[in-house]
Amino acid sequence: MFKNALVYRIEEWLPPTQDEIASRLDGGRFAECLPSQPESIGWVEPRGEKHGVLLESVAGQLILKLCTETKAVPGGVVKEQLDARLEKIEADTGRRPKGKASREIKDEIVHELLPRAFPKRSATLVWIDLQAKTVLIAAASAKKADAVVTRLVELFGGLRLSPLQTALSPATAMAAWLSDKQPPAGFSIDRECELKQPDSEKAAVRYARHTLEIDEVGEHIKQGKLPTQLALTWNSRVSFVLSETLALKKIKLLDVVLENSAPKHGADDGFDADVAITTGELRLLLPDLIAALGGPLVEEAKPAPAPSEAGAAPWA
């Protein structure tokens, strides 16, 4: 369900009522791009059922899905038509448009070609854990996740999110684990790693399907290279790659989890079971990972009100 993840902390939020949530989501429901529209963003059904609900609640865990559709005209086609039009104008008038005039002509060409462009669609899952006060976005890049955060803030008035930060940076912690050949409690180091020199040259060394319990790795770190990615397994249950930006990539539930859970797919096509299993494992993994990174970075701030102070959320 979640192959990649970036975690955000809920700094402040008084959850709206369920009716308010439904109304706001319906107002932001996804619609396909219009013929000359380059992008459309909106909320879609997490369960995948047409005209279904846009907010799912499974064991108190809230699941949403944001869909983005984009249409792009190939740059080469635009350039070819732009050059042809500029040459014609120059031949007719003796002057070749430049600057703003050239850009306006280019925009006209893009607008004319957009109706023939093929749309490209992607969707991003969002998991809101009210009890843990976290939001997990199924993305590996901060740029993509921040775009989702912007939509969430627009949707839920009064919501304030901040990227999860830890006392130890992931790069510092990963360097210590590799140098000492000692993973943190509850984790094991797998066979994938990337080390980079933090300078303009960005010299890099990558290990794939290779043991990392070798002196060579420690020597690279002594020479100044820092880990940017490291494959880990948590309690023999979940494997993932930790990045220097605290992104979790290549998340995979291992056989022991799937076999013991044995979901029974019914009318919901396994959606509820998938959500319950995945969120159940990650809710236990994340605190252990944060602890391995020295705990959350604490800043002086007024504590956010607990959901119970605003009345129990009706979907919990």
Side-chain angles (χ1 to χ4, degrees):
M1 175 164 279
F2 289 95
K3 301 301 182 185
N4 301 301
L6 278 167
V7 182
Y8 290 76
R9 297 180 63 182
I10 299 175
E11 300 290 350
E12 184 178 354
W13 190 31
L14 296 177
T17 67
Q18 191 170 16
D19 287 343
E20 290 174 331
I21 295 289
S23 176
R24 295 181 190 183
L25 283 169
D26 280 335
R29 187 181 286 270
F30 172 78
E32 294 181 353
C33 286
L34 297 173
S36 297
Q37 185 180 3
E39 181 181 68
S40 179
I41 302 175
W43 301 98
V44 295
E45 301 84 351
R47 201 178 290 267
E49 298 174 348
K50 288 186 177 181
H51 312 297
V53 296
L54 299 177
L55 174 68
E56 293 284 353
S57 176
V58 179
Q61 306 305 309
L62 309 182
I63 304 294
L64 301 95
K65 184 185 284 188
L66 187 69
C67 182
T68 301
E69 184 176 87
T70 57
K71 293 198 298 184
V73 178
V77 175
V78 175
K79 185 178 184 302
E80 181 179 335
Q81 293 203 15
L82 177 61
D83 288 342
R85 292 197 190 183
L86 294 179
E87 288 173 4
K88 185 177 186 306
I89 293 172
E90 185 176 15
D92 293 343
T93 66
R95 297 183 63 182
R96 187 180 183 89
K98 297 181 180 179
K100 182 180 179 181
S102 176
R103 289 193 296 270
E104 288 177 350
I105 295 172
K106 180 180 178 181
D107 291 342
E108 288 176 5
I109 293 171
V110 172
H111 187 76
E112 291 169 4
L113 294 177
L114 270 176
R116 288 183 279 166
F118 290 104
K120 183 178 181 181
R121 192 177 297 184
S122 63
T124 306
L125 276 174
V126 178
W127 163 30
I128 302 175
D129 186 341
L130 290 174
Q131 185 177 1
K133 296 184 180 178
T134 58
V135 173
L136 187 146
I137 297 174
S141 74
K143 181 179 180 181
K144 182 177 181 179
D146 287 346
V148 178
V149 167
T150 298
R151 293 284 170 168
L152 285 172
V153 171
E154 292 174 354
L155 177 67
F156 300 117
L159 174 64
R160 188 160 62 89
L161 299 175
S162 64
L164 174 66
Q165 292 183 295
T166 52
L168 287 175
S169 71
T172 299
M174 291 188 290
W177 303 338
L178 289 169
S179 296
D180 298 339
K181 300 178 184 178
Q182 183 65 46
F187 293 85
S188 59
I189 295 175
D190 294 338
R191 295 161 58 86
E192 181 179 341
C193 177
E194 180 182 77
L195 303 162
K196 280 187 180 180
Q197 195 80 30
D199 56 23
S200 58
E201 294 185 1
K202 300 292 183 183
V205 176
R206 296 179 180 86
Y207 294 90
R209 298 183 295 279
H210 194 292
T211 180
L212 301 177
E213 293 184 356
I214 53 176
D215 294 337
E216 178 183 303
V217 174
E219 287 301 318
H220 282 300
I221 294 173
K222 287 180 182 178
Q223 293 168 12
K225 294 185 180 69
L226 289 174
T228 57
Q229 297 192 80
L230 178 63
L232 299 166
T233 293
W234 171 75
N235 282 340
S236 301
R237 300 179 67 84
V238 182
S239 66
F240 63 98
V241 173
L242 177 64
S243 82
E244 61 183 335
T245 60
L246 202 43
L248 278 63
K249 303 178 180 180
K250 300 182 181 179
I251 300 171
K252 182 181 180 182
L253 303 184
L254 301 183
D255 290 344
V256 65
V257 175
L258 301 176
E259 290 170 0
N260 292 340
S261 301
K264 296 179 181 179
H265 287 194
D268 68 351
D269 195 27
F271 177 85
D272 288 356
D274 289 343
V275 171
I277 294 167
T278 303
T279 60
E281 294 297 322
L282 294 181
R283 288 190 87 215
L284 298 175
L285 182 158
L286 288 173
D288 285 357
L289 179 60
I290 293 170
L293 295 171
L297 182 64
V298 179
E299 297 180 357
E300 292 295 330
K302 183 179 178 181
S308 59
E309 294 176 6
W315 53 82

